[in-house]
PDB file of all heavy atoms in Angstrom:
ATOM      1  N   PRO A 217       0.186  -2.843  30.009  1.00  0.00           N
ATOM      2  CA  PRO A 217       0.761  -2.107  28.877  1.00  0.00           C
ATOM      3  C   PRO A 217       0.975  -0.637  29.197  1.00  0.00           C
ATOM      4  O   PRO A 217       2.006  -0.047  28.792  1.00  0.00           O
ATOM      5  CB  PRO A 217      -0.292  -2.282  27.776  1.00  0.00           C
ATOM      6  CG  PRO A 217      -1.001  -3.524  28.121  1.00  0.00           C
ATOM      7  CD  PRO A 217      -1.039  -3.547  29.605  1.00  0.00           C
ATOM      8  N   LEU A 218       0.041  -0.017  29.922  1.00  0.00           N
ATOM      9  CA  LEU A 218       0.152   1.400  30.218  1.00  0.00           C
ATOM     10  C   LEU A 218       1.340   1.683  31.104  1.00  0.00           C
ATOM     11  O   LEU A 218       2.100   2.664  30.887  1.00  0.00           O
ATOM     12  CB  LEU A 218      -1.137   1.899  30.882  1.00  0.00           C
ATOM     13  CG  LEU A 218      -1.212   3.407  31.182  1.00  0.00           C
ATOM     14  CD1 LEU A 218      -1.147   4.197  29.883  1.00  0.00           C
ATOM     15  CD2 LEU A 218      -2.487   3.729  31.942  1.00  0.00           C
ATOM     16  N   THR A 219       1.557   0.847  32.114  1.00  0.00           N
ATOM     17  CA  THR A 219       2.684   1.050  33.020  1.00  0.00           C
ATOM     18  C   THR A 219       4.020   0.955  32.305  1.00  0.00           C
ATOM     19  O   THR A 219       4.904   1.807  32.461  1.00  0.00           O
ATOM     20  CB  THR A 219       2.644   0.006  34.169  1.00  0.00           C
ATOM     21  OG1 THR A 219       1.395   0.122  34.865  1.00  0.00           O
ATOM     22  CG2 THR A 219       3.784   0.221  35.154  1.00  0.00           C
ATOM     23  N   ILE A 220       4.178  -0.068  31.484  1.00  0.00           N
ATOM     24  CA  ILE A 220       5.434  -0.253  30.748  1.00  0.00           C
ATOM     25  C   ILE A 220       5.639   0.924  29.780  1.00  0.00           C
ATOM     26  O   ILE A 220       6.734   1.485  29.665  1.00  0.00           O
ATOM     27  CB  ILE A 220       5.436  -1.588  30.003  1.00  0.00           C
ATOM     28  CG1 ILE A 220       5.436  -2.752  31.000  1.00  0.00           C
ATOM     29  CG2 ILE A 220       6.660  -1.701  29.074  1.00  0.00           C
ATOM     30  CD1 ILE A 220       5.329  -4.115  30.355  1.00  0.00           C
ATOM     31  N   ALA A 221       4.570   1.296  29.063  1.00  0.00           N
ATOM     32  CA  ALA A 221       4.673   2.371  28.093  1.00  0.00           C
ATOM     33  C   ALA A 221       5.047   3.694  28.728  1.00  0.00           C
ATOM     34  O   ALA A 221       5.832   4.468  28.175  1.00  0.00           O
ATOM     35  CB  ALA A 221       3.355   2.498  27.318  1.00  0.00           C
ATOM     36  N   ILE A 222       4.501   4.000  29.895  1.00  0.00           N
ATOM     37  CA  ILE A 222       4.818   5.259  30.593  1.00  0.00           C
ATOM     38  C   ILE A 222       6.294   5.291  30.983  1.00  0.00           C
ATOM     39  O   ILE A 222       6.970   6.317  30.797  1.00  0.00           O
ATOM     40  CB  ILE A 222       3.919   5.450  31.825  1.00  0.00           C
ATOM     41  CG1 ILE A 222       2.484   5.771  31.399  1.00  0.00           C
ATOM     42  CG2 ILE A 222       4.436   6.549  32.726  1.00  0.00           C
ATOM     43  CD1 ILE A 222       1.499   5.872  32.540  1.00  0.00           C
ATOM     44  N   VAL A 223       6.804   4.172  31.511  1.00  0.00           N
ATOM     45  CA  VAL A 223       8.194   4.133  31.926  1.00  0.00           C
ATOM     46  C   VAL A 223       9.101   4.292  30.710  1.00  0.00           C
ATOM     47  O   VAL A 223      10.092   5.064  30.733  1.00  0.00           O
ATOM     48  CB  VAL A 223       8.509   2.821  32.650  1.00  0.00           C
ATOM     49  CG1 VAL A 223      10.012   2.711  32.965  1.00  0.00           C
ATOM     50  CG2 VAL A 223       7.710   2.730  33.953  1.00  0.00           C
ATOM     51  N   VAL A 224       8.806   3.596  29.627  1.00  0.00           N
ATOM     52  CA  VAL A 224       9.580   3.727  28.396  1.00  0.00           C
ATOM     53  C   VAL A 224       9.560   5.167  27.870  1.00  0.00           C
ATOM     54  O   VAL A 224      10.590   5.726  27.480  1.00  0.00           O
ATOM     55  CB  VAL A 224       9.070   2.740  27.320  1.00  0.00           C
ATOM     56  CG1 VAL A 224       9.734   3.048  25.965  1.00  0.00           C
ATOM     57  CG2 VAL A 224       9.367   1.312  27.719  1.00  0.00           C
ATOM     58  N   ALA A 225       8.365   5.784  27.859  1.00  0.00           N
ATOM     59  CA  ALA A 225       8.248   7.138  27.357  1.00  0.00           C
ATOM     60  C   ALA A 225       9.016   8.126  28.230  1.00  0.00           C
ATOM     61  O   ALA A 225       9.648   9.067  27.703  1.00  0.00           O
ATOM     62  CB  ALA A 225       6.774   7.533  27.292  1.00  0.00           C
ATOM     63  N   LEU A 226       8.985   7.949  29.525  1.00  0.00           N
ATOM     64  CA  LEU A 226       9.714   8.843  30.434  1.00  0.00           C
ATOM     65  C   LEU A 226      11.239   8.761  30.209  1.00  0.00           C
ATOM     66  O   LEU A 226      11.920   9.794  30.184  1.00  0.00           O
ATOM     67  CB  LEU A 226       9.386   8.520  31.898  1.00  0.00           C
ATOM     68  CG  LEU A 226       8.066   9.088  32.425  1.00  0.00           C
ATOM     69  CD1 LEU A 226       7.787   8.539  33.815  1.00  0.00           C
ATOM     70  CD2 LEU A 226       8.122  10.620  32.486  1.00  0.00           C
ATOM     71  N   ILE A 227      11.735   7.532  30.061  1.00  0.00           N
ATOM     72  CA  ILE A 227      13.169   7.390  29.810  1.00  0.00           C
ATOM     73  C   ILE A 227      13.531   7.972  28.460  1.00  0.00           C
ATOM     74  O   ILE A 227      14.578   8.647  28.310  1.00  0.00           O
ATOM     75  CB  ILE A 227      13.567   5.907  29.904  1.00  0.00           C
ATOM     76  CG1 ILE A 227      13.297   5.359  31.298  1.00  0.00           C
ATOM     77  CG2 ILE A 227      15.038   5.717  29.559  1.00  0.00           C
ATOM     78  CD1 ILE A 227      13.518   3.870  31.445  1.00  0.00           C
ATOM     79  N   ALA A 228      12.694   7.728  27.428  1.00  0.00           N
ATOM     80  CA  ALA A 228      12.959   8.281  26.107  1.00  0.00           C
ATOM     81  C   ALA A 228      12.898   9.797  26.154  1.00  0.00           C
ATOM     82  O   ALA A 228      13.677  10.491  25.459  1.00  0.00           O
ATOM     83  CB  ALA A 228      11.952   7.736  25.107  1.00  0.00           C
ATOM     84  N   ASP A 229      11.994  10.359  26.945  1.00  0.00           N
ATOM     85  CA  ASP A 229      11.881  11.812  27.108  1.00  0.00           C
ATOM     86  C   ASP A 229      13.162  12.382  27.736  1.00  0.00           C
ATOM     87  O   ASP A 229      13.686  13.413  27.323  1.00  0.00           O
ATOM     88  CB  ASP A 229      10.672  12.152  27.967  1.00  0.00           C
ATOM     89  CG  ASP A 229      10.227  13.587  27.815  1.00  0.00           C
ATOM     90  OD1 ASP A 229      10.988  14.394  27.231  1.00  0.00           O
ATOM     91  OD2 ASP A 229       9.103  13.915  28.254  1.00  0.00           O
ATOM     92  N   LEU A 230      13.671  11.687  28.751  1.00  0.00           N
ATOM     93  CA  LEU A 230      14.907  12.121  29.399  1.00  0.00           C
ATOM     94  C   LEU A 230      16.093  12.058  28.461  1.00  0.00           C
ATOM     95  O   LEU A 230      17.012  12.869  28.553  1.00  0.00           O
ATOM     96  CB  LEU A 230      15.156  11.202  30.601  1.00  0.00           C
ATOM     97  CG  LEU A 230      16.224  11.616  31.627  1.00  0.00           C
ATOM     98  CD1 LEU A 230      15.799  12.912  32.328  1.00  0.00           C
ATOM     99  CD2 LEU A 230      16.439  10.518  32.643  1.00  0.00           C
ATOM    100  N   ASP A 231      16.036  11.145  27.515  1.00  0.00           N
ATOM    101  CA  ASP A 231      17.137  10.961  26.544  1.00  0.00           C
ATOM    102  C   ASP A 231      17.001  11.884  25.348  1.00  0.00           C
ATOM    103  O   ASP A 231      17.917  11.960  24.534  1.00  0.00           O
ATOM    104  CB  ASP A 231      17.155   9.504  26.080  1.00  0.00           C
ATOM    105  CG  ASP A 231      18.381   9.183  25.239  1.00  0.00           C
ATOM    106  OD1 ASP A 231      19.501   9.482  25.716  1.00  0.00           O
ATOM    107  OD2 ASP A 231      18.218   8.643  24.134  1.00  0.00           O
ATOM    108  N   THR A 232      15.848  12.581  25.212  1.00  0.00           N
ATOM    109  CA  THR A 232      15.608  13.439  24.063  1.00  0.00           C
ATOM    110  C   THR A 232      15.682  14.880  24.560  1.00  0.00           C
ATOM    111  O   THR A 232      14.741  15.417  25.118  1.00  0.00           O
ATOM    112  CB  THR A 232      14.221  13.164  23.455  1.00  0.00           C
ATOM    113  OG1 THR A 232      14.095  11.762  23.171  1.00  0.00           O
ATOM    114  CG2 THR A 232      14.040  13.941  22.164  1.00  0.00           C
ATOM    115  N   PRO A 233      16.795  15.548  24.347  1.00  0.00           N
ATOM    116  CA  PRO A 233      17.017  16.879  24.940  1.00  0.00           C
ATOM    117  C   PRO A 233      16.220  18.012  24.312  1.00  0.00           C
ATOM    118  O   PRO A 233      16.102  19.073  24.885  1.00  0.00           O
ATOM    119  CB  PRO A 233      18.515  17.108  24.757  1.00  0.00           C
ATOM    120  CG  PRO A 233      18.860  16.320  23.534  1.00  0.00           C
ATOM    121  CD  PRO A 233      17.959  15.113  23.567  1.00  0.00           C
ATOM    122  N   SER A 234      15.687  17.766  23.104  1.00  0.00           N
ATOM    123  CA  SER A 234      15.092  18.902  22.374  1.00  0.00           C
ATOM    124  C   SER A 234      13.600  18.745  22.141  1.00  0.00           C
ATOM    125  O   SER A 234      12.983  19.531  21.401  1.00  0.00           O
ATOM    126  CB  SER A 234      15.785  19.052  21.025  1.00  0.00           C
ATOM    127  OG  SER A 234      15.740  17.837  20.284  1.00  0.00           O
TER     128      SER A 234
END
Side-chain angles (χ1 to χ4, degrees):
L218 184 62
T219 302
I220 294 175
I222 288 175
V223 175
V224 169
L226 279 172
I227 298 174
D229 199 346
L230 193 65
D231 188 52
T232 307
S234 55

